[in-house]
Amino acid sequence: MKTLQELTRPNIWSLKPYSSARDEYNGVEASVFLDANESPYNSPHNRYPDPLQIDLKKKIGKLKDVDVEQIFLGNGSDEAIDLLFRAFCEPRIDNVVAIDPTYGMYKVCADVNNVEYRKVLLDDQFQITADKLLAATDEHTKLIFLCSPNNPTGNDLSKEMILEVLDKFDGLLILDEAYNDFSETDSFISRLKDYPNLVVLQTFSKAWASAAIRLGMAFASPEIIHILNKIKYPYNINMLTQKHAMEMLHRHYEIDHWVKTLKEEKLRFEAELLKISCVEHIYPSDANFFLMRVTDAVKIYNYFVSHGIIVRNRHNISLCMNCLRITVGMRNENNSVISALKEFSKMEDAQ
Ligand SMILES: *Cc1c(COP(=O)(O)O)cnc(C)c1O
């Protein structure tokens, strides 16, 4: 691995971050707070929230078995993705490598930051070799993005491939584990100690059922986390979000139960869909959604819309011709999809 200083943009490496009133005061004795120009009314919403979210990170750290210094919290994973570009990629000079197809935000953030985005096509099993990924890199490649389970394909990427990239790549590997809670594969968080070039992304938006609060997590070495903390907005996680996340963490047994239920329901949902004639294939899924190839994705998508059912049309995405991406919902919601598709099929067969 290159040194972190070599990987970081020089202006970011030397940046002196904004120091807020809450940063500068960290004693415990005071009871009069007249340092931040807050209103004394409307407690507790009058006070700025903890800029480093220490209580919440302690709780997350305990659950994930990592130190507080290895956790960055962002306004969704999307904030962490954007900050990684801003910290490490010099616009118009550096580049990043990612698999194709994958989550769309990596490319959007690359474009916003004027950073070259290099795609490497997955094979027909939606896998890739380390050699193929590394062949797309050069001395200006700062980040490789891998998403496992991958969106929109739904499958875990090979663990051996990820380890090989970690061993051989001299930049940072960003491993997006947004759907890892649904997978049988262990998170790579436990390998952070062995790989200083690893950044793992997770989120409260999927299994934790809290997309509305916008809370994403990045786990990495304390040195990498320090850089992200330097460039984030001072109060990027609001108090209501921190509070809700704490409550969800207290309910983690309930989340485990939701995950188990959704995984069982996914199997039933898939089995029912496979009985319908316009369904050609359902790709193996390690997530809470699956990619389904049908006879005519655009026609079926529009048919669903006309029946008030919204799925994701992935027909125009690489390797996803005639594919719909369907999230596993409540049983009655999934049954609506099954009924509508049966009706569509009957109509088509009659023609
Ligand atoms: C949904 C999703 C996320 C979550 O993003 P948030 O900003 O945390 O809501 C991250 N990565 C992937 C691949 C996703 O599909």
Side-chain angles (χ1 to χ4, degrees), residues 76-78 103 106 147 151 176 178-179 203 205-206 214-216:
S77 313
D78 294 345
Y103 184 45
Y106 316 139
C147 182
N151 179 3
D176 189 339
Y179 301 97
T203 179
S205 297
K206 307 290 159 58
R214 309 307 302 129
L215 187 62

Side-chain angles (χ1 to χ4, degrees), residues 115-133:
V115 169
E116 184 194 348
Y117 183 85
R118 300 181 172 188
K119 298 177 185 181
V120 186
L121 195 64
L122 295 174
D123 64 24
D124 55 4
Q125 305 286 308
F126 298 142
Q127 295 290 343
I128 189 101
T129 62
D131 285 343
K132 253 175 123 179
L133 268 177

Side-chain angles (χ1 to χ4, degrees), residues 45-85:
H45 301 97
N46 57 332
R47 298 294 175 193
Y48 280 104
D50 177 1
L52 288 174
Q53 311 100 21
I54 298 298
D55 288 344
L56 179 54
K57 284 179 182 170
K58 279 184 184 159
K59 196 120 191 99
I60 292 170
K62 213 173 213 173
L63 187 75
K64 308 274 180 185
D65 196 23
V66 290
D67 299 334
V68 165
E69 295 72 28
Q70 293 180 282
I71 308 172
F72 168 83
L73 298 180
N75 186 327
S77 313
D78 294 345
E79 182 183 0
I81 294 166
D82 185 53
L83 292 186
L84 287 162
F85 277 98

